[in-house]
Amino acid sequence: MSKTLYDKLWDNHVVHVEPDGTALLYIDRHLVHEVTSPQAFEGLKLAGRKPWRVSSIVSTPDHNTPTDHWDEGIKDPISRQQVETLDANIREVGALAYFPFKDQRMGILHVVGPENGATLPGMTVVCGDSHTSTHGAFACLAHGIGTSEVEHVLATQCLLQKKSKTMLVAVEGRLGKGVTGKDVALAIIGTIGTAGGTGYAIEFGGSAIRGLSMEGRMTLCNMAIEGGARMGFVAVDDKTIEYLRGRPFSPKGEVWDNAVAYWRTLQSDTGAQFDRVVTLKAEDIRPQVTWGTSPEMVVAIDANVPDPAKQSDPVKREGMERALQYMGLNPNTPMNQISIDKVFIGSCTNSRIEDLREAASVLKGRHIAPSVKLALAVPGSGLVKRQAEAEGLDKVFLAAGFEWREPGCSMCLAMNADRLEPGERCASTSNRNFEGRQGPGGRTHLLSPAMAAAAAIAGRFAMSCVTSSQH
Amino acid sequence: MDKFTRLEGLVAPLDRNNVDTDAIIPKQFLKSIKRSGFGPNAFDEWRYMDIGEPGQDATHRPKNPNFVLNQSRYQGSEVLLTRANFGCGSSREHAPWALLDFGFKAIVAESFADIFFNNCYKNGIVPIVLPATEIEALFKQVEATPGYKLVVDLQAQAVIRPDGYGIQFQIDAFRKECLINGWDDIGLTLRHAEKIREFEEKRRINQPWLFS
């Protein structure tokens, strides 16, 4: 019988099945950061249990760490305690790899895993972080878990799971110039809604997805969760394999050849049936900007802020009105007339080398608008930062008036000092525009790195004039 | 984990779609390394007029009189009634920890986000999905009736209104059994330790690249 990629990944990890279909799935890779793990390590210790397989663990602190003045350490004592707790826990139990604060390879876990070859096709990858879906770009069964499940994985190397329904999101055709993985992700969420993927595992397919780089696919899978799906993935192709060749934890020699042979089977069979199929035409996708407080509240850059009066569902209408009030926007305002206060280029969605290249190509020879109070460029990892500096991108950002920071999650969720003040409006390459996400009272608009750069220059949302294209 | 069999609890209505985990417990409180003490900061930005910081005594903070959970008639509520896609956003288990610490033991909604839904079970909170029409009717009844209580009968898989009308809900048999018995998932899984070990050994031979 024809199998979907999800069926293949699932079947390869089932250890045991309960009578009601609840399965015990084996976990290959466990990513651990400082925010969602302390209670799990404590629970393990209190129960007198030992971690099952520490060589599955890859860890780094990322949420709380500052992005400047590293010489001064972590000033916030509560943040520091959380990072030091991770240091102590990993020191005690061990890990395949730990990149502590200030390490050259430290960074956002979802950037660090793939770039070190610690994320390999066919793996189950979990982390106490909803953006673990990112790793699905490598045909992994990858999703976020809660802290109780972090403890469960530490103790048993397994998770209790019910099989999800399957959805194929096919994007066919060629993306226009300046249309990136981020725009595709936002356009999909705008189509299916923020709960459209709830209960589903999404496979992204179609010629436009195959045309995306691995970075673009990571951006897309990263945002599967904003469409309600815990996991989203893309089949293995030559790009997947070439990306992984020679990475520190990628297999070598004969083992590599055997691995590649298996990885090439990681695609849905012809004729495989999905519970739902959604098709988008690549040519229809314009650069996207969110206007509200949910990622589904999104329009193309050349559109207007929607009018709640045209919404017939009263609960939805009220939600739109509340969002517009919070965002300080009037219905029917053209998006390109909305001015911004801050710009954030970074996060596990858009902080990889390709993202920085795209932004820099827009910024080159230009300067941010005088009305922009702060523009931050935060690379996803130490390795991304060094690569960008080797290419001279840091100089482009600095000359344009951006601050060039150290890696970390930064203003995506503002657990460190990088945040919005109440009422400030931000063009952000991150993944969530929820109320207060980037700081209490802050107003977030999600967009691509190129669009964020264009907004920084114009001081308002604007069409980017991208000089390089991903094709 | 406490056992859950039957609950008769005061209902608080939160009439919104897409209540996200950043709203349930804002990020600054995630810096705690404990599992408890999040209740005073549940819905912090909606509940208080000032900006909350971790470690602060919440008793004297200015409360937002317009936020529903601040109304006196909903004090002591144990059942939260809400709309679609409750708990969307991050995987933070601090969200169910905060709701539990606040006093909620059951959440009745049109739908839940997957990770939050799962996290509820791990903490003995029962997330109950009901059809939109039933939810709409419950909202009307709650608003019209001070002291409105619902019975959640887990064994019977039913929510029972004060007028005696019962609404059936679905729950996986395995999850139901875990809640009713207050079982620890890890203990249950470790009963299969030998099977896990065998699976792992085969894997190590067949896919050695996963173990380097």
Side-chain angles (χ1 to χ4, degrees):
Chain A
M1 203 184 93
S2 299
K3 283 181 165 186
T4 62
L5 171 55
Y6 178 62
D7 294 330
K8 292 182 185 180
L9 293 170
W10 176 272
D11 292 350
N12 194 255
H13 291 89
V14 176
V15 175
H16 171 80
V17 188
E18 296 288 338
D20 77 342
T22 305
L24 207 53
L25 279 200
Y26 187 81
I27 302 304
D28 297 310
R29 178 66 69 230
H30 190 186
L31 305 173
V32 177
H33 67 69
E34 80 277 21
V35 180
T36 53
S37 68
Q39 299 88 347
F41 281 110
E42 190 194 19
L44 196 72
K45 206 183 287 183
L46 286 175
R49 290 172 177 140
K50 295 266 174 257
W52 184 282
R53 183 164 74 82
V54 292
S55 66
S56 68
I57 299 173
V58 171
S59 180
T60 187
D62 52 10
H63 285 59
N64 276 278
T65 53
T67 57
D68 60 354
H69 303 296
W70 271 11
D71 53 319
E72 295 170 15
I74 304 172
K75 285 186 217 154
D76 176 349
I78 317 178
S79 289
R80 190 170 62 238
Q81 183 193 30
Q82 205 165 47
V83 172
E84 286 172 353
T85 303
L86 180 65
D87 286 341
N89 283 328
I90 298 291
R91 204 181 309 126
E92 192 179 331
V93 307
L96 173 71
Y98 182 52
F99 306 119
F101 175 47
K102 294 201 258 194
D103 187 278
Q104 292 209 354
R105 284 153 79 185
M106 183 208 134
I108 306 172
L109 260 178
H110 308 312
V111 176
V112 167
E115 75 181 1
N116 282 287
T119 301
L120 297 173
M123 278 182 165
T124 39
V125 180
V126 295
C127 176
D129 190 307
S130 59
H131 291 112
T132 309
S133 57
T134 309
H135 307 265
F138 295 85
C140 292
L141 212 156
H143 60 86
I145 56 177
T147 298
S148 295
E149 290 181 311
V150 171
E151 186 180 336
H152 194 280
V153 174
L154 283 172
T156 71
Q157 211 59 41
C158 290
L159 265 189
L160 287 161
Q161 296 280 290
K162 264 310 247 308
K163 204 168 175 187
S164 303
K165 291 178 283 183
T166 54
M167 186 190 299
L168 172 67
V169 176
V171 187
E172 300 288 357
R174 262 181 90 89
L175 295 172
K177 205 172 176 186
V179 179
T180 67
K182 182 62 161 286
D183 302 300
V184 175
L186 287 170
I188 291 169
I189 295 162
T191 304
I192 67 171
T194 186
T198 303
Y200 288 93
I202 297 181
E203 178 171 347
F204 298 104
S207 52
I209 305 298
R210 289 193 294 276
L212 289 174
S213 64
M214 289 313 293
E215 283 84 354
R217 295 176 190 180
M218 282 188 257
T219 301
L220 181 63
C221 293
N222 172 278
M223 291 198 69
I225 185 68
E226 310 321 328
R230 280 195 308 163
M231 51 196 140
F233 32 75
V234 177
V236 169
D237 64 7
D238 290 344
K239 284 184 190 171
T240 324
I241 290 159
E242 284 319 305
Y243 179 96
L244 289 169
R245 194 186 294 277
R247 305 245 165 206
F249 292 112
S250 291
K252 314 271 179 312
E254 195 188 331
V255 181
W256 166 265
D257 296 336
N258 293 337
V260 169
Y262 171 65
W263 294 344
R264 288 205 182 274
T265 68
L266 296 176
Q267 16 209 327
S268 290
D269 296 332
T270 313
Q273 294 296 308
F274 293 84
D275 295 304
R276 189 179 166 196
V277 177
V278 175
T279 309
L280 276 79
K281 267 202 257 170
E283 290 79 5
D284 293 345
I285 302 175
R286 309 270 300 137
Q288 307 278 306
V289 188
T290 64
W291 56 267
T293 55
S294 165
E296 70 182 7
M297 294 174 166
V298 66
V299 290
I301 175 65
D302 42 9
N304 295 347
V305 174
D307 190 344
K310 292 177 188 154
Q311 173 59 250
S312 54
D313 178 333
V315 177
K316 279 192 184 154
R317 185 166 60 237
E318 210 176 296
M320 288 174 77
E321 283 164 354
R322 197 183 293 120
L324 288 177
Q325 191 186 7
Y326 181 86
M327 294 298 289
L329 292 174
N330 292 319
N332 306 312
T333 308
M335 289 305 291
N336 61 17
Q337 283 178 19
I338 300 169
S339 47
I340 54 159
D341 303 301
K342 289 184 175 171
V343 179
F344 172 61
I345 295 179
S347 86
C348 58
T349 314
N350 280 127
S351 63
R352 296 178 185 82
I353 190 67
E354 182 184 277
D355 301 316
L356 300 180
R357 284 178 193 146
E358 277 172 9
S361 76
V362 175
L363 293 171
K364 196 161 190 165
R366 298 191 173 98
H367 200 276
I368 63 171
S371 58
V372 173
K373 291 186 238 174
L374 177 72
L376 285 184
V378 185
S381 71
L383 293 183
V384 170
K385 184 171 189 243
R386 257 173 298 285
Q387 172 72 30
E389 286 170 355
E391 295 178 19
L393 303 183
D394 56 327
K395 296 196 175 58
V396 175
F397 280 103
L398 287 165
F402 270 70
E403 292 191 15
W404 179 248
R405 295 290 188 92
E406 302 291 349
C409 298
S410 183
M411 212 204 275
C412 171
L413 86 169
M415 274 191 78
N416 69 356
D418 309 336
R419 65 185 69 168
L420 299 181
E421 296 303 321
E424 280 184 340
R425 189 179 299 286
C426 183
S428 178
T429 66
S430 55
N431 40 57
R432 292 195 174 126
N433 50 353
F434 300 157
E435 288 182 23
R437 172 78 178 179
Q438 294 190 292
R443 294 162 171 166
T444 303
H445 295 263
L446 306 174
L447 33 50
S448 73
M451 291 285 289
I457 294 163
R460 55 182 171 75
F461 299 116
M463 186 67 88
S464 68
C465 316
V466 189
T467 50
S468 72
S469 167
Q470 62 204 345
H471 296 296
Chain B
M1 195 170 85
D2 291 342
K3 294 178 183 181
F4 191 113
T5 45
R6 190 175 182 278
L7 164 76
E8 182 172 8
L10 187 68
V11 183
L14 187 58
D15 196 357
R16 299 184 182 209
N17 282 332
N18 300 326
V19 173
D20 61 73
T21 54
D22 278 81
I24 297 170
I25 184 82
K27 84 283 298 195
Q28 63 268 38
F29 305 107
L30 272 49
K31 295 179 186 182
S32 167
I33 57 170
K34 301 197 180 84
R35 266 175 196 266
S36 56
F38 296 100
N41 303 109
F43 301 107
D44 200 275
E45 284 183 30
W46 293 343
R47 204 162 141 205
Y48 302 100
M49 304 297 280
D50 61 349
I51 292 172
E53 289 300 332
Q56 151 196 53
D57 178 6
T59 46
H60 301 296
R61 291 178 60 196
K63 286 193 175 161
N64 175 3
N66 297 324
F67 182 55
V68 67
L69 296 185
N70 285 334
Q71 294 173 19
S72 58
R73 61 183 284 198
Y74 299 121
Q75 298 314 300
S77 49
E78 294 177 287
V79 179
L80 184 67
L81 174 67
T82 185
R83 298 277 181 179
N85 200 29
F86 186 82
C88 61
S90 93
S91 64
R92 61 187 71 167
E93 199 162 316
H94 311 67
W97 293 339
L99 293 169
L100 192 65
D101 208 39
F102 186 91
F104 292 118
K105 296 184 176 72
I107 306 171
V108 179
E110 203 179 311
S111 61
F112 292 89
D114 285 342
I115 303 178
F116 175 85
F117 187 69
N118 201 30
N119 283 341
C120 282
Y121 288 111
K122 309 290 177 190
N123 293 280
I125 298 177
V126 189
I128 298 166
V129 178
L130 295 183
T133 48
E134 300 288 5
I135 294 286
E136 182 60 33
L138 285 174
F139 267 103
K140 287 205 172 111
Q141 292 201 344
V142 170
E143 275 149 34
T145 323
Y148 188 94
K149 286 187 175 183
L150 280 176
V151 171
V152 176
D153 187 335
L154 184 55
Q155 191 64 56
Q157 293 182 216
V159 172
I160 303 151
R161 300 194 318 208
D163 58 10
Y165 176 78
I167 314 162
Q168 294 288 302
F169 63 87
Q170 295 297 312
I171 179 171
D172 290 338
F174 182 75
R175 283 176 154 160
K176 180 176 169 182
E177 213 181 333
C178 289
L179 280 172
I180 286 175
N181 295 293
W183 279 338
D184 159 26
D185 274 358
I186 297 178
L188 286 181
T189 298
L190 286 174
R191 291 182 311 179
H192 304 294
E194 202 44 51
K195 223 169 163 179
I196 301 170
R197 218 164 274 128
E198 281 169 23
F199 181 92
E200 193 170 55
E201 280 320 303
K202 264 189 226 152
R203 203 164 179 76
R204 207 182 281 276
I205 294 162
N206 297 334
Q207 298 181 55
W209 55 87
L210 297 172
F211 293 83
S212 55

